[in-house]
Amino acid sequence: MVAALEDLAIEPSPGSTTLLHGFPGVTPSVAFSGMVTFTARRQLSFRSLKLRLSGTATVSFVSSADARCRDSASLLERNVALLDPASASAAAAAGIGGGGGGGSGKAPAYPTAKRGGGSVLVLPEGRHELPFRFDVAAEDVVRLPPSLALDFEKDELRVVYSLSAVAEYFPPGPLASAKTAEVSEDVDFPRISVPDVIRGHTMDTSLLLAGASDSADWRVRADRSVFGLSQPVTVTVDHVRSLRKENPATSVHVALRQDVTLRAAGLTKVLRVYLSRPDCARAFVLDSGCQPSSTRVLPSPAALVPPAPSGGGGSPSRGSPLAVAAEGGGAARGRSLSPSPPGPRWTGRVVATVEPWRAARRQQDTLAAPGLPAATGALFEVRHVLEVIVTMRGAPPLKLEHAVLFLDADADTRDWVVRNSNYVPPSPV
């Protein structure tokens, strides 16, 4: 039996390929717009056709007590009636044309009738297209996180924006009962920070980890702390040295890490996902004939907390050893101590790169989950860290880390943002 209503769909407007118009964080206006389309095989009577725009954040994880914790939060909700007999009747009584509902655009005018104890709109046989548009206010664009999807072992994070259409109609025949048809379409809602893209594109965002503890001293540099997809981050170990002969440093490892904090049922869980773990076995070498360093550096207390990137991230974890980070190629400042004793030191250089998820999986890289942009919500937080781990024989490893900013955008997108922003490069001196 042929259905009376077929091919209910949510489609882009003619000449467009997407339901989202504008680029959140970049363009001055952002809107969800398109058409709800369907085919009526016969004349149909509609009680309503409603469209809903929603944004929802959902987290789910297994706690340390092996209990499943779930929670969700509404981020955005808008509703509009594309077919509304009540508004059509009111418009007809006032002498105003139009039989559609509250969707923007020019909806066709349809006659009204009585059926099932109420008013209905009578639509003829054929294909119908009902335009709609949801404008997103500037204050909503600022607060809304981007679309996110992370499945990591038994834990999950989802930020989903979707459009859902529900049609309630009567098929042909005086005794036919009302039927319902539904369709839903997820819409990608990317987000990018123009200031962060420009900062990474035009400024020196290098960082320095330099300091000492009672067991080791170190100096590690990265050529950038703001980076995007496929953009190399060169990490140079000037030296990492153990100050105790009984606990020599045996290896150095560098990684770009993604920390995802999930909150539900009053509990918190942090997922640590490695986005890039380059092979450090040959990158770093042990130099046994180094000369004593002229000074050892301990950071001043004020220097322990580096400025957080505007797109997310924060200071080193409380448990990390004394370390100072200076962005823009600056040097670590602290109080000088007596010259450190000579001893073997690790030196070398390695390049870490966050590749797109699919490419990394094809290459069987160490990427365990897709890289997510920095984001914060009531139920979650995503931040990124440069991690340096030094293994020590007979002692716990030395762990150094500093917040960095990962932009989930490839080179073409970053260049497009810079070209289409109001950024004006400084004139050469």
Side-chain angles (χ1 to χ4, degrees), residues 91 224-225 255 264:
R224 58 169 49 95
S225 60

Side-chain angles (χ1 to χ4, degrees), residues 55-299:
T56 306
T58 305
V59 299
S60 176
F61 60 87
V62 177
S63 69
S64 57
D66 203 29
R68 172 64 64 178
C69 300
R70 301 177 187 271
D71 204 351
S72 62
S74 175
L75 305 173
L76 179 68
E77 184 171 346
R78 306 280 177 80
N79 295 277
V80 66
L82 299 182
L83 292 177
D84 183 6
S87 62
S89 299
I96 303 172
S104 65
K106 296 181 179 179
Y110 299 115
T112 61
K114 295 291 185 179
R115 186 164 181 182
S119 297
V120 294
L121 286 173
V122 181
L123 274 66
E125 178 180 351
R127 176 178 166 85
H128 297 269
E129 299 177 350
L130 304 176
F132 67 87
R133 180 183 178 91
F134 291 103
D135 289 301
V136 183
E139 56 268 24
D140 288 334
V141 173
V142 171
R143 71 173 179 82
L144 291 173
S147 299
L148 300 174
L150 176 65
D151 289 301
F152 186 67
E153 297 177 349
K154 298 181 180 180
D155 306 317
E156 179 181 7
L157 165 63
R158 287 275 188 278
V159 175
V160 178
Y161 296 88
S162 63
L163 290 162
S164 303
V166 179
E168 189 176 2
Y169 66 98
F170 288 96
L175 301 180
S177 58
K179 294 185 177 295
T180 300
E182 300 182 25
V183 66
S184 182
E185 191 77 26
D186 290 346
V187 184
D188 185 35
F189 190 81
R191 181 176 185 80
I192 198 164
S193 168
V194 173
D196 289 332
V197 173
I198 293 176
R199 184 159 65 99
H201 190 83
T202 63
M203 298 177 63
D204 178 8
T205 63
S206 60
L207 62 85
L208 170 67
L209 291 170
S213 67
D214 59 352
S215 60
D217 65 357
W218 58 88
R219 179 184 169 90
V220 180
R221 294 177 287 123
D223 67 337
R224 58 169 49 95
S225 60
V226 180
F227 54 91
L229 285 170
S230 304
Q231 192 169 19
V233 179
T234 301
V235 181
T236 302
V237 175
D238 292 328
H239 77 264
V240 171
R241 174 174 31 225
S242 172
L243 302 180
R244 295 178 178 176
K245 292 183 178 181
E246 66 272 20
N247 302 125
T250 56
S251 65
V252 178
H253 299 276
V254 171
L256 295 175
R257 198 182 76 216
Q258 176 174 273
D259 291 353
V260 181
T261 303
L262 306 179
R263 307 181 187 95
L267 301 176
T268 299
K269 185 173 185 177
V270 179
L271 311 179
R272 292 189 168 183
V273 179
Y274 287 97
L275 300 183
S276 179
R277 300 178 75 176
D279 184 4
C280 299
R282 297 183 180 181
F284 302 121
V285 296
L286 185 62
D287 180 2
S288 59
C290 67
Q291 298 299 318
S293 59
S294 58
T295 59
R296 289 172 60 197
V297 178
L298 282 177

